[in-house]
Amino acid sequence: MDKIRIIGGTPLKGNIRIGGAKNSALKLMCASILTDGVLTLTNVPRLADIRTTAQLLESLGIEVAFETPDGDGAPQRLVMNGGTLNNTVAEYDIVRKMRAGVLVLGPLLAKHGKARVSLPGGCAIGTRPVDLHLKGLQLLGAEIELDGGYIVAVAPNGLTGAEVTFPFVSVGATENLMMAATLAKGTTRLINAAREPEIVDLAECLKAMGARIQGAGSDTIEIQGVESLNGAEHAVMPDRIETGTYAMAVAATRGDATLIGARPDTLGAAIASMEAAGVIVDRVPDGMRIRCGALVGTDVMTEPYPGFPTDLQAQMMALLSTAQGASMVTETIFENRFMHVPELSRMGASINLHGRSAMVRGVHRLTGAQVMATDLRASVALVIAGLAAQGETIVNRIYHLDRGYERLDVKLAACGAQIERIAG
Ligand code: EPZ
């Protein structure tokens, strides 16, 4: 298994180009199921999760082609032909690799009236059930049962619009229901919907395909079903989590770098939290410039958008590990998203866990160590810690990083980091 070796202590300086958003692209790809036409996505990142989703679509019969018109390393175009779909079963072997696989359920039901989709099961950051997805689809008229680890859903007469009130905010359930409702008869209202920028990106793509959607980005989304959707071309939004991750890496090394293509308007409370910790964030014409004065402790609590994102919690904790004073980091979205804490502690961080909160007492300097993590964001937090630490850090199990960060080592090395990938 490949590893990353870092010699810490070099401030990151230069430009870092931000890629297309993983968590938007995965759902946009699932939208190809809703049309008999061709959906083309541009600004698609080169990530393991994107390839897994492409395999999932191919297993349904959809023809998928990656194109790189601007040569190696440039963002990809992805061309998907929904008209070739000939199977409505999403197998365990693919869905188990990536929870987002359950996002084919709504589109399959809406377009083909049936679906058999493997239950995704738990994952390292928590149990992560899909009950809200299923209850919402049932309100739209789907009949659903569980059989041998699969969700078996049918809607023999098609789906019908309904009012769906989510008991709490779920990004995936909002997306699944929004896609399903585009082809339902009549009007669907999603109440207490997620407001994440990826929801807006998906709605924009669906609208380009002919869907009638209002209110995406607010807590109430109204969808008027249409007979059919056409093909379209859509550019994936820039990745706000990749943006926040590099911003924290630059700050942790007390560097000065510009994140090219970043969209600060999609970062929500993350910018205010970084500023409260002493990070200087300047909006520049094509992105954000990040510098850092003295880092000071600040309290952070994860919340649905526009609150501080859970997907930046681990990175923020790595940053706050070397701030002056104490910080309280509280995780409210997932029940088990502190796996980075023991690893950061091995690098000299002073962190105490109390239930859903972590008390971080800043130390003068972290020290390099051998570390590993069990999920994507925890892994990248260890890279940030390694960049800031004194000495050598080896991050093991980096296949997690390949799921969500494109050419991480190359982008960081271009800003002066001493980092290399070691094939294992
Ligand atoms: C998306 O997951 C993201 N994944 C996650 O990013 C992100 O952490 C999360 O949203 C929250 O922002 C993708 O977009 C592929 P949820 P999702 O449904 O949609 C509970 C990363 O690192 N819940 O908003 O699965 C759930 O267990 C990943 O890139 C139910 O109880 O998240 C969680 O506690 C990790 N029942 C909370 O709701 C349900 O039916 C929010 O989950 C659905 C969710």
Side-chain angles (χ1 to χ4, degrees), residues 387-408:
L387 291 169
Q390 196 160 36
E392 181 188 84
T393 295
I394 305 278
V395 183
N396 293 294
R397 286 205 195 157
I398 60 166
Y399 59 84
H400 290 297
L401 291 171
D402 294 333
R403 292 186 55 190
Y405 292 93
E406 183 176 348
R407 300 185 310 135
L408 177 81

Side-chain angles (χ1 to χ4, degrees), residues 22-23 27 128-132 170-172 311 333 377:
K22 167 184 84 93
N23 286 348
K27 330 307 169 54
R128 299 182 76 186
V130 290
D131 53 324
L132 301 192
S170 162
V171 176
D311 290 348
I333 308 290
R377 310 302 173 187

Side-chain angles (χ1 to χ4, degrees), residues 243-307:
T243 302
T245 301
Y246 283 118
M248 290 172 198
V250 173
T253 61
R254 313 302 192 260
D256 179 352
T258 300
L259 310 181
I260 308 285
R263 266 183 54 193
D265 60 303
T266 61
L267 267 87
I271 291 188
S273 293
M274 285 192 285
E275 286 175 338
V279 181
I280 303 164
V281 180
D282 290 318
R283 284 135 177 100
V284 294
D286 190 22
M288 280 159 69
R289 179 178 174 197
I290 305 294
R291 287 170 291 159
C292 194
L295 268 182
V296 288
T298 185
D299 293 349
V300 174
M301 181 156 82
T302 64
E303 285 179 324
Y305 189 85

Side-chain angles (χ1 to χ4, degrees), residues 4-5 33 45 57 71 153 169 172 174 182 219 222 230 243 261 270 283 305 309 320 350 376 384 387:
I4 277 185
R5 176 171 176 266
I33 296 170
L57 295 178
V169 172
T174 303
T182 58
D219 62 4
E222 194 168 293
N230 43 262
T243 302
R283 284 135 177 100
Y305 189 85
L320 293 172
S350 170
L376 167 60
I384 293 175
L387 291 169

Side-chain angles (χ1 to χ4, degrees), residues 200-241:
V200 179
D201 206 27
L202 178 59
E204 290 305 318
C205 176
L206 293 169
K207 285 199 267 187
M209 294 166 73
R212 296 174 65 188
I213 302 174
Q214 281 183 325
S218 77
D219 62 4
T220 303
I221 305 177
E222 194 168 293
I223 305 118
Q224 280 170 292
V226 294
E227 279 289 309
S228 65
L229 295 179
N230 43 262
E233 178 161 329
H234 178 83
V236 180
M237 66 175 280
D239 196 316
R240 65 192 169 99
I241 304 301

